[in-house]
Amino acid sequence: MKRLLAVAVLVCAAFAAHAELPFIENDYKKAVARAQAKNVPIFVEAWAPW
Amino acid sequence: MKAYVYTDKSLERYAGRFVWLAINTEDAANAAFLKQYPIPALPTLLVLDAKRGQVTLRYVGGATVPQVKKLLDEAEQSYRARSLSPADAALAKGDGLAAAGKSKEAVKAFDDAIAAAPKNWPRFGRTAESLIYALSSTADYARCATRALELYPRVKGTVSAANVASTGLACAAAVEPRNETMVEQLENATQEVFDDPKIVLSDDDRSGLYLALIDSRDAAGDDEGVVDLQTGWSAFLDQSAARAKTAEQRAVYDSHRLSAYVALGIPGKAIPMLEQSQRDFPNDYNPPARLAYAYKEMKEYDKALAASDRALELATGPRRIALLSTRADVYVAKGDAKTARETLEQAIAEAKALPEGQRSDRRIASLEKRLATIE
């Protein structure tokens, strides 16, 4: 079962910023404020530099 | 997903329709977020409704561009909807509970959603995946495997079949006493997904199918079958890396390629690829961390420690705990119990000092248990 959790890691391996879409990095409060102002949902990717 | 998915031009039309947030789970700045939304595996995708303070959608695992588009369309529709159908409401409830770490309660909600699902409900596949994942998270492996078998025919031929079959198989392999019929049926289902050219899988899904099959054959004591699958897995990863168009895309496969080489008893094959990644990404702790592991497996302990030094200089937060743990393994293998103990004590101290949301009591207990075994 340990491997079950490891499986999903492969494609997430990434390095710092997300380039094409305007990702806010590691600032949940800023994302919430912007989403409330624009009345749009927040898409979150939880990742790690694996 | 950054290397392959978010760079896709077809996602640009969604840019202004969402606020995009990347949460590095190893960054201490995100501890409060992680406490509110426990992350069981990486990546985990969430869509949040900031106005209502609700989770609109949750998906555990990597996704292809078409899968991401489908998730975004679905999330936007739910976000704008004035009312939800019973099945949609139950799914949203399940996503919210799962996102709060309440897997048992989430299982019931996902079950309710499936029971209320109208014919051709477009969210059926994702709900089935979420149910099976939630069941595996509760360690109810027998029900997880049974439900996977029940649901598989309804998702057969779709991308959701991959997670339903492989997660169900992983659960079946953990059921005691072993149920050979259930294992065989889920192995066949997993193999069927694997062989279906119409199902376009992300590489992590395909790698997940390999891992589920390898674990299952391993649990069955089928050594020959394990080696065959590991050989296929390694070749698949090598081919995927060879197709990469950028250094970043190639390095995505480093972790699993190293695992495959170690499993096959050829850790030295990983050295050139990891040295290349170390040159390409000099500020990333991953290449030296993986070199440390590879050299440890090769019994070249001084090289392992040198690589470990480089990794520890670059790493922060929870990642240092894993690096120190590997470093302790190296000292144990060298026969230096004293330094191994000191290294584990350092790992435990650093693990305890992590902020809530990043601190793992299970991890600390595991390190302490290990420390007690070093004479």
Side-chain angles (χ1 to χ4, degrees), chain A residues 3, chain B residues 211 230 233 237 253-265 270 273 293:
Chain A
R3 281 183 172 169
Chain B
L211 283 166
Q230 285 171 337
W233 183 41
L237 293 167
Y253 300 95
D254 284 1
S255 170
H256 277 216
R257 289 172 81 189
L258 173 59
S259 298
Y261 299 153
V262 169
L264 287 166
M273 119 193 143
Y293 180 63

Side-chain angles (χ1 to χ4, degrees), chain B residues 284-290 292 306-316 320 323:
Chain B
D284 182 3
Y285 63 73
N286 280 305
R290 290 171 186 146
S308 173
D309 284 338
R310 294 196 296 277
L312 283 165
E313 278 176 22
L314 296 168
T316 58
R320 285 182 56 86
L323 296 177

Side-chain angles (χ1 to χ4, degrees), chain B residues 156-318:
Chain B
K156 186 177 166 177
T158 74
V159 72
S160 293
N163 281 333
V164 169
S166 62
T167 307
L169 177 56
C171 287
V175 172
E176 291 178 357
R178 191 172 164 83
N179 182 330
E180 290 295 346
T181 306
M182 194 155 69
V183 169
E184 188 183 341
Q185 287 174 328
L186 281 162
E187 271 193 1
N188 290 341
T190 304
Q191 191 66 49
E192 189 173 55
V193 177
F194 200 90
D195 295 336
D196 188 338
K198 285 180 285 186
I199 302 177
V200 178
L201 296 172
S202 62
D203 281 347
D204 64 331
D205 276 342
R206 191 161 288 279
S207 192
L209 296 179
Y210 271 114
L211 283 166
L213 288 166
I214 290 167
D215 278 353
S216 182
R217 288 293 82 210
D218 190 36
D222 175 8
D223 294 344
E224 201 176 314
V226 167
V227 172
D228 281 351
L229 283 162
Q230 285 171 337
T231 304
W233 183 41
S234 174
F236 157 72
L237 293 167
D238 287 347
Q239 286 161 10
S240 299
R243 283 196 299 268
K245 292 176 182 147
T246 64
E248 192 172 355
Q249 287 185 353
R250 179 191 53 73
V252 161
Y253 300 95
D254 284 1
S255 170
H256 277 216
R257 289 172 81 189
L258 173 59
S259 298
Y261 299 153
V262 169
L264 287 166
I266 49 171
K269 192 176 175 187
I271 300 298
M273 119 193 143
L274 295 175
E275 285 180 340
Q276 181 63 51
S277 292
Q278 193 168 240
R279 286 191 293 275
D280 289 337
F281 307 103
N283 296 319
D284 182 3
Y285 63 73
N286 280 305
R290 290 171 186 146
L291 280 166
Y293 180 63
Y295 281 127
K296 174 179 81 70
E297 293 298 312
M298 295 163 70
K299 303 189 192 322
E300 295 195 26
Y301 301 127
D302 290 336
K303 286 184 178 176
L305 289 173
S308 173
D309 284 338
R310 294 196 296 277
L312 283 165
E313 278 176 22
L314 296 168
T316 58

